[in-house]
Amino acid sequence: MSALLRRLRPASPLERREIGILALFAVVTFTQGWTGTVITHALPFVRESFGLDDGDVFGLLSTIRAVALIGLLFSWWGDHRGRRLPLLVAFTLLAALNLATAFAPNYQAFLWLQAGSRIGGAALAALTIVVLAEELNPGVRSYGLGIAALFTAMGTGFGLFMRIFGEGDGEQWRLLFGLSALPLLVLPFLVVRLRESRAYRGRSTRPPLVEVFRAGMARYFWPMAVLSMAVSAFTAPAANLALVRLENELGWSAGGASVMLALTSAPGVILGLLLGGRIADLIGRRPTEVVAAFVGVGGGLLFYFTTTGWLMALGIFISMLGSFAFGPAFGAHRTELFPTRIRATAGAWMVNASILGGLFGFAAGRFVVDAWGISATVAALGGVLLVATSLVLLVPETKGTDLTREDGEDPTDWIAATPM
């Protein structure tokens, strides 16, 4: 084991500058993980408070994801005027609308406030990956993205433990949304410390929003976009409905379900992010993505097709291991495929593809969940993902791409110009 860990260490250590940017973005990604997933953590309470059935839950989450597509405009803004300001606005929007949700007078207000918050969350996720990819050197890029994602997972885990404040009859779930707005207190710190990405350079002309659909870009965008859709179509329902299954179907208490998910997922998250990120830097993005997807689906199916506690715990661990190993590899891959002038916009289109995938998963599930049940619905979506992993064969391997060259040549133009 010690030999394996030594092998998985970065060949060159993180530079002081890289450590500084990762420390700064730890605040951003922790907020993303905590504040951006409160709707998932509060869902069983919200369901009971508003009297929602399974179909209503699928409809609620579908609508929120559909509205979040607007987050694309933040990344387009980021390609036109720089990454810093839209990232700060997205951070503010996410937390501020969660605070407003705590005071939502009715279900409709709750729905639209959370949809607006999701816009900020989607924009923040897209811009964070772009900025970090541009700040990290090629040999540690996927590994560094894994470290950042670890703080996202820590935020999500923190939110799980915070669920104790929402447990109980009535409207206590509102406290979860109010507390998740606390990151607004660090906004002044981010305003002072966050600098523009070193790879971004202002240009006299700006590419249109649809540049990624044009020849040269489209042949690599579409395979990655469809894969992103398939991943989200499986993981969004699987993750969001885990607590619903434990509490509403199997009768677990809110505290027991939260502790079980937190304790069993944490080892898988940590190992997945660090091992997946490092392996992607060592052997490549494509093989890491394929193996991670199969592992993640296998663990998810184990969780949904057993009622034995320890088997469900094992399923969560395996699912988290695969899901979080996939993230750093895919995040690095999708940023390295596109030139700097459209990198943020391409990343946002990819996030929108992910949102559409989650929307498809929930929309499809809404029509079949009553007949099939949650477990069979999730299994069918997992099968779609396994088939979609073959799409990575249509895009080039990008391990080692330098995104910050200053010789006048965009470092990723060679990818778009490479013949199939």
Side-chain angles (χ1 to χ4, degrees):
M1 176 61 74
S2 60
L4 174 62
L5 292 176
R6 284 195 299 271
R7 173 63 176 158
L8 290 174
R9 288 186 190 133
S12 57
L14 290 167
E15 297 176 357
R16 183 174 181 179
R17 177 192 58 79
E18 292 172 319
I19 293 173
I21 195 68
L22 284 172
L24 180 63
F25 269 84
V27 177
V28 176
T29 54
F30 186 91
T31 299
Q32 182 186 329
W34 174 21
T35 307
T37 58
V38 173
I39 179 63
T40 300
H41 299 153
L43 189 57
F45 309 137
V46 172
R47 176 179 177 169
E48 290 187 5
S49 180
F50 291 120
L52 308 178
D53 60 23
D54 285 346
D56 294 328
V57 169
F58 273 87
L60 165 68
L61 298 174
S62 297
T63 302
I64 289 173
R65 279 162 173 74
V67 175
L69 295 171
I70 298 172
L72 167 69
L73 298 178
F74 281 78
S75 290
W76 184 70
W77 179 13
D79 276 335
H80 279 231
R81 293 290 182 264
R83 317 329 190 178
R84 178 181 177 274
L85 182 57
L87 190 149
L88 290 172
V89 173
F91 180 93
T92 305
L93 187 66
L94 171 62
L97 291 186
N98 261 19
L99 179 60
T101 301
F103 302 97
N106 52 49
Y107 172 71
Q108 288 300 318
F110 172 88
L111 169 62
W112 294 112
L113 285 169
Q114 275 303 285
S117 176
R118 189 77 178 196
I119 293 173
L124 187 63
L127 288 165
T128 294
I129 290 178
V130 169
V131 173
L132 286 175
E134 292 177 340
E135 291 292 324
L136 297 169
N137 290 320
V140 294
R141 183 172 294 129
S142 189
Y143 181 76
L145 288 174
I147 292 175
L150 179 58
F151 282 96
T152 305
M154 289 171 61
T156 302
F158 180 74
L160 270 174
F161 283 111
M162 294 292 285
R163 292 186 80 235
I164 60 174
F165 294 107
E167 188 173 5
D169 298 331
E171 306 287 300
Q172 287 179 247
W173 57 265
R174 296 178 182 274
L175 187 58
L176 298 180
F177 288 94
L179 290 172
S180 73
L182 286 175
L184 285 173
L185 297 176
V186 303
L187 182 60
F189 169 77
L190 292 177
V191 170
V192 172
R193 298 301 300 271
L194 184 63
R195 297 289 181 264
E196 185 54 74
S197 162
R198 63 179 181 149
Y200 177 79
R201 300 174 184 85
R203 298 172 183 268
S204 57
T205 59
R206 299 289 183 264
L209 195 61
V210 295
E211 178 75 11
V212 294
F213 303 122
R214 295 181 176 175
M217 303 291 178
R219 59 182 174 177
Y220 299 131
F221 171 79
W222 284 115
M224 297 294 284
V226 173
L227 177 57
S228 180
M229 290 177 66
V231 168
S232 188
F234 170 71
T235 58
N240 279 273
L241 297 173
L243 287 171
V244 172
R245 180 168 192 258
L246 287 172
E247 296 176 27
N248 298 131
E249 288 192 354
L250 301 180
W252 287 50
S253 68
S258 298
V259 170
M260 194 264 213
L261 280 177
L263 294 181
T264 56
S265 63
V269 169
I270 295 170
L271 286 175
L273 289 173
L274 298 182
L275 295 182
R278 187 60 194 134
I279 290 171
D281 284 332
L282 284 172
I283 68 172
R285 297 11 176 159
R286 297 195 303 179
T288 305
E289 289 162 355
V290 172
V291 173
F294 273 79
V295 172
V297 170
L301 296 186
L302 179 59
F303 170 80
Y304 275 97
F305 281 91
T306 185
T307 58
T308 303
W310 72 270
L311 284 176
M312 287 194 293
L314 179 62
I316 293 170
F317 168 78
I318 295 173
S319 180
M320 292 297 169
L321 179 66
S323 298
F324 283 87
F326 182 91
F330 188 79
H333 203 180
R334 82 184 195 197
T335 55
E336 292 163 347
L337 278 169
F338 299 97
T340 304
R341 68 180 186 277
I342 62 164
R343 185 169 297 125
T345 303
W349 276 116
M350 210 73 70
V351 170
N352 272 8
S354 176
I355 293 171
L356 284 173
L359 180 61
F360 169 80
F362 285 115
R366 184 174 187 179
F367 289 105
V368 302
V369 68
D370 290 333
W372 292 7
I374 290 177
S375 297
T377 301
V378 170
L381 295 170
V384 172
L385 170 55
L386 296 184
V387 173
T389 57
S390 61
L391 292 170
V392 299
L393 299 176
L394 301 179
V395 295
E397 176 60 60
T398 58
K399 178 174 68 77
T401 304
D402 184 355
L403 301 182
T404 59
R405 283 166 51 186
E406 298 181 356
D407 57 3
E409 178 186 351
D410 198 309
T412 55
D413 277 342
W414 68 273
I415 297 174
T418 301
M420 291 293 289

